[in-house]
Amino acid sequence: MTVPQGRHGSGPRGHHQVSAVDEVHLRRCVALATQALENGDDPFGSVLVDADGAVLAEAMNREASDRDPTAHPELELVRWAIARLTPAQRAASTVYTSGEHCPMCAAAHGWAGLGRVVAAASAGQLAEWRASWGLPPGPVTPMPLTEVVPDVVVIAPVAPFDAEMREVHRRALARTEG
Ligand SMILES: [Zn+2]
């Protein structure tokens, strides 16, 4: 399946330069995704950061733990931000995540007016990996975040974190096959 490119998007194999601060937060997302994997959940983790680069909140996938297929970390961070931040603070925030938002989380991000997104792996990569491993498509069509929220700035994918996430997802697949 071809995933359309957002207007801020690059090709699925394109990579972006990010700051040392961005790298710290992406590394944490990979760690949270790995923790989710170890909890028996899908390997996704996200961090909400304020305008000064300070971590406000973290979340990881809890689909299996909560028996809730919508228990995605990006949606949890939206809920956190709406409860605690002003619209201006939300707009100035950055969401780091191990994998680019699904359309549900993308829409929530847009309605909440959150700021920039930096994702280790792009939506296109996630779809490509699933397909390459012979997995059926999920029930929701993957697409770049900018297809859902045109004005949000998205940086994805980011090396080497995308390759690290590919390995974490491969481990998740091996678990389900084992
Ligand atoms: Zn989602």
Side-chain angles (χ1 to χ4, degrees):
M1 192 188 80
T2 300
V3 176
Q5 297 302 313
R7 75 166 102 140
H8 300 289
S10 67
R13 296 188 185 281
H15 289 99
H16 295 270
Q17 294 296 318
V18 295
S19 71
V21 171
D22 291 332
E23 292 188 354
V24 166
H25 296 308
L26 283 172
R27 193 165 296 120
R28 181 64 184 153
C29 290
V30 174
L32 289 165
T34 304
Q35 181 63 53
L37 173 75
E38 287 163 5
N39 293 349
D41 293 302
D42 281 349
F44 292 94
S46 311
V47 178
L48 178 67
V49 173
D50 72 12
D52 298 321
V55 174
L56 295 171
E58 298 179 340
M60 64 184 90
N61 183 283
R62 300 188 50 83
E63 287 184 53
S65 297
D66 290 357
R67 296 182 186 173
D68 176 356
T70 70
H72 297 186
E74 300 92 342
L75 189 56
E76 187 176 331
L77 292 182
V78 165
R79 294 275 174 239
W80 191 97
I82 289 171
R84 293 170 182 83
L85 302 181
T86 65
Q89 288 171 324
R90 298 203 293 267
S93 71
T94 298
V95 174
Y96 295 87
T97 190
S98 63
E100 189 173 359
H101 294 45
C102 75
M104 171 185 75
C105 296
H109 184 102
W111 286 120
L114 292 178
R116 157 181 102 113
V117 171
V118 184
S122 69
Q125 284 179 315
L126 292 166
E128 183 183 302
W129 298 340
R130 282 187 68 90
S132 74
W133 294 328
L135 294 171
V140 175
T141 304
M143 63 187 72
L145 215 168
T146 49
E147 292 291 311
V148 181
V149 189
D151 290 334
V152 73
V153 173
V154 178
I155 299 171
V158 181
F161 305 101
D162 57 341
E164 293 178 16
M165 281 313 307
R166 186 181 189 281
E167 178 59 20
V168 176
H169 281 280
R170 200 196 54 73
R171 282 177 56 200
L173 173 66
R175 175 189 65 192
T176 59
E177 286 179 337

